[in-house]
Amino acid sequence: MSSLLVRGGLVVGPSTSSVGDVLVRDGVIVDVSDTIALPPGCSEIDARGCWVGPGMVDLHAHLREPGREAAETIESGAHAGAIGGFTALVAMPNTEPALDNVALVSYVLDRGTRTPIDVAVAGAITVGRKGESLAPMAEMAALGVRLFTDDGIGVQDPSVMRRALTYARPLGVRLAQHCEDELLAAGGSMNEGALSSRLGLVGRPALAEELMVMRDIELVRLTGAPLHFLHLSTIRSLNLVDAARREGLPVTCEVAPHHLTLDETSCQGFDALFKVHPPLRAASDVEGLRVALRSGLVDAVASDHAPHAPELKDLAFDEAPAGLLGLEYSASLTFEALGGDVDPVQFFSLLSRGPARIAQLRRDDLRVRHSAHGGALVAGDDANLVVFDPNARWTASNATLHSRATNSPYDGRALVGQVRSTIAKGTLVVHEAELV
Ligand SMILES: [Zn+2]
């Protein structure tokens, strides 16, 4: 098979980094050292000045297939992911129909194997994501599903959530919650506050999120089952999770790039591109999230990539669906949010090693179909890696998106740091920021 030498980059390990070469052969990293002579017939990538890290892992990608292929397909989402530096995506189950059974999970896994990267699946917690009866999690777990969520909505009924946690624990899987109390958030389309009042829009209060975080921490305490908090958007939510973790409770959390880089004032133009759940928050929360990100309080950055067909985002702000594109700019926006002198170890912890641990996609985890992700970049690892240029300056453009949809709020934004190459399962999938 093919071999590839990644030359002269800063090779970023789990705790330290050093400049060197990485040799990939037949889908596996076979050597990492200061200088490796180019073997005959081997192609070479110049990574000087760049960071070479484990391929990124996205915990939160809405790939829309089956049901809404006009917005995205598993294939187009995988291409957008590869451009963004991702070698593995976790496909969310709020498709139509929902991924709440073995047949549909198998369908998505099979389609995923036809893409250049790994596509894992998060199964639904409840049948049809209706929040009532439990989906057959054990059967889906037998296919390799390791995360379960009703994302798009949280499990509202605490007794259902308690039962789900109790059921999940012996399966060795993790539930993931979209935290919003729908009774408190009802009818809201942006953050609740002075600005929503001024704009005449119904708000979704921060408390709708925080109340469910509080409730679920107590349910974790009761059941002992691990729980992952999706796209937390307020500093209070993060502080609650931090306190729970200090008590030894098995909780993890992610934040989304848009909550780190955009605030509620973006909604002033009533442009539905900025409508997302949980909503863009006050500037003070954005700054608080950035501080928490730098301080190591956050386990993962996850895109919450949510494509929508163009006609839907042309609707009035309060009628349009929530969600925006995330995969292609996640790495650059995370780099921006970390600010100033970014630690490459932390960068890859947030975008690769942390999420791979939560999704159980690492070498030591039980795997059914996928190659291993979030590795230490040592010989013997599956060759999922990314070359990121921390000095690149470029401009986001909705004209060059690889997603089928175009609902990105970042058109025209100046970005620093760019994915140059993505190597998935030993194959060069993205080179010079273009699909090969
Ligand atoms: Zn969600």
Side-chain angles (χ1 to χ4, degrees), residues 146-419:
R146 292 293 174 265
L147 277 178
F148 289 89
T149 179
D150 279 359
D151 184 57
I153 191 167
V155 177
Q156 301 295 307
D157 183 332
S159 67
V160 173
M161 191 61 191
R162 177 190 182 178
R163 240 182 303 136
L165 286 162
T166 304
Y167 188 65
R169 188 179 173 191
L171 298 176
V173 301
R174 187 183 298 257
L175 303 191
Q177 187 76 289
H178 170 124
C179 289
E180 280 189 302
D181 182 310
E182 289 298 320
L183 290 172
L184 263 182
S189 55
M190 68 170 288
N191 185 44
E192 181 183 286
L195 184 61
S196 64
S197 302
R198 188 149 58 78
L199 296 177
L201 290 168
V202 179
R204 300 173 84 81
L207 186 61
E209 174 177 314
E210 293 152 358
L211 212 51
M212 194 174 279
V213 173
M214 291 176 209
R215 182 200 78 176
D216 281 2
I217 286 170
E218 293 312 311
L219 290 174
V220 168
R221 193 193 310 280
L222 184 69
T223 60
L227 181 64
H228 178 65
F229 291 100
L230 302 165
H231 47 45
L232 294 182
S233 66
T234 79
I235 188 59
R236 190 158 180 224
S237 292
L238 288 179
N239 286 337
L240 287 162
V241 172
D242 185 42
R245 191 162 22 207
R246 284 171 198 273
E247 288 186 68
L249 297 178
V251 290
T252 52
C253 68
E254 69 184 36
V255 296
H258 46 271
H259 289 132
L260 292 162
T261 52
L262 298 169
D263 66 34
E264 61 180 356
T265 60
S266 300
C267 303
Q268 289 180 111
F270 298 97
D271 185 342
L273 283 178
F274 297 95
K275 180 175 176 180
V276 62
H277 293 167
L280 302 177
R281 298 295 187 188
S284 54
D285 272 315
V286 175
E287 184 47 35
L289 255 57
R290 285 181 174 225
V291 170
L293 191 74
R294 285 191 289 270
S295 71
L297 210 143
V298 174
D299 298 282
V301 174
S303 75
D304 194 8
H305 179 79
H308 288 292
E311 62 273 18
L312 293 175
K313 278 294 189 182
D314 285 343
L315 293 170
F317 196 92
D318 54 352
E319 291 171 9
L324 46 85
L325 299 183
L327 286 170
E328 299 186 47
Y329 304 136
S330 273
S332 303
L333 295 169
T334 302
F335 187 82
E336 175 188 321
L338 283 167
D341 196 12
V342 179
D343 173 8
V345 170
Q346 184 174 41
F347 179 76
F348 284 105
S349 171
L350 289 165
L351 286 163
S352 176
R353 294 183 174 115
R357 174 174 55 84
I358 292 163
Q360 298 189 39
L361 292 172
R362 296 177 304 173
R363 196 170 166 180
D364 295 337
D365 294 321
L366 180 64
R367 285 173 289 110
V368 178
R369 288 167 181 259
H370 309 295
S371 58
H373 298 268
L377 277 198
V378 292
D381 276 356
D382 288 338
N384 290 308
L385 42 129
V386 64
V387 179
F388 181 82
D389 181 353
N391 299 307
R393 290 175 183 276
W394 59 302
T395 304
S397 166
N398 286 9
T400 57
L401 289 165
H402 292 74
S403 177
R404 269 199 185 181
T406 55
N407 56 305
S408 162
Y410 294 106
D411 191 35
R413 188 182 182 103
L415 299 171
V416 179
Q418 186 177 33
V419 171

Side-chain angles (χ1 to χ4, degrees), residues 98 100-101 124-136 140 150:
D100 64 359
N101 65 68
I125 295 173
T126 66
V127 174
R129 298 172 47 251
K130 290 194 169 73
E132 293 161 3
S133 52
L134 296 188
M140 292 186 270
D150 279 359

